[in-house]
Amino acid sequence: MKRIAIFPGSFDPITIGHVDILQRALPLFEKIVVAIGTNSQKKYFFSLEERLSLIEKVFENEPKIEVQTYSGLTANFATKIGAGFLLRGVRNATDFEFEKTIAQLNKELEQNLETILLVCKPKYSHISSTIVREILIHKGKAEKFLPKAIQTYIVEKM
Ligand code: ADP
């Protein structure tokens, strides 16, 4: 069976922290599906179409990375697309506690799905999509937290 991983998240927007996790995970898998979760109860800053096309732009030269959207349970979506691994990034103890619970839950839901947690590099541990959105809303300089390929789009949009 092919080693396929799913990297689920909101990616509102994708940051250099996400990109680093994905690049480090690339040698481990044959394919990584970046899966943008859609939750009708949640309000997003960037539309689903924007988030999708921003991630596609960042990885346009990386054939092992695919971008898809999904709704419902992540474990169900992983099974549907034949992914055996669920990739997540961990920045700190709060992330770890959260990820541990979700990983244990997903294991109960889907025994064939293994969660792989990659610990982020110290230089990315303060970066989050929430912080980036906050900076953008207040017209601050968010470029340094964003992948090069999408900096212009986001700055011009603001
Ligand atoms: P969610 O809304 O599900 O937390 P995010 O888009 O915020 O989705 O994050 C997706 C994944 O990327 C999560 O595993 C998150 O911990 C990880 N992540 C986010 N920012 C960073 C970062 N700076 N370094 C490493 N991993 C990160």
Side-chain angles (χ1 to χ4, degrees):
M1 215 171 107
K2 245 179 136 182
R3 294 171 73 83
I4 302 174
I6 175 179
F7 185 48
S10 315
F11 306 103
D12 191 24
I14 186 165
T15 69
I16 54 172
H18 296 126
V19 172
D20 186 59
I21 295 291
L22 277 163
Q23 276 166 348
R24 287 166 52 202
L26 271 176
L28 306 176
F29 304 105
E30 284 162 77
K31 180 165 113 179
I32 303 178
V33 177
V34 180
I36 312 175
T38 56
N39 178 344
S40 53
Q41 313 287 333
K42 225 170 138 178
K43 256 194 102 15
Y44 297 100
F45 191 72
F46 291 95
S47 72
L48 187 59
E49 295 71 30
E50 272 178 316
R51 287 180 280 145
L52 181 94
S53 71
L54 288 173
I55 304 171
E56 278 177 346
K57 180 118 195 67
V58 173
F59 293 105
E60 64 186 352
N61 297 318
E62 182 42 74
K64 283 168 84 177
I65 293 183
E66 210 177 87
V67 194
Q68 292 198 34
T69 63
Y70 75 101
S71 56
L73 290 175
T74 307
N76 288 353
F77 181 66
T79 306
K80 190 174 132 200
I81 63 168
F85 302 91
L86 196 163
L87 173 68
R88 295 283 287 178
V90 176
R91 283 163 291 195
N92 49 42
T94 312
D95 272 1
F96 176 74
E97 282 303 323
F98 178 76
E99 295 300 339
K100 184 185 74 173
T101 309
I102 302 287
Q104 288 168 335
L105 179 77
N106 281 330
K107 195 73 191 161
E108 296 250 332
L109 293 175
E110 192 50 74
Q111 268 116 63
N112 294 323
L113 187 63
E114 281 302 348
T115 297
I116 308 288
L117 300 180
L118 288 189
V119 176
C120 89
K121 293 181 188 159
K123 64 178 174 181
Y124 297 127
S125 64
H126 61 296
I127 302 174
S128 67
S129 298
T130 310
I131 294 290
V132 170
R133 289 196 301 273
E134 214 41 42
I135 297 172
L136 291 172
I137 288 166
H138 296 102
K139 312 266 178 252
K141 288 195 187 311
E143 290 94 315
K144 64 172 160 204
F145 305 118
L146 296 166
K148 275 219 163 44
I150 62 168
Q151 284 173 354
T152 312
Y153 174 89
I154 291 189
V155 169
E156 279 175 9
K157 177 189 156 89
M158 300 314 291

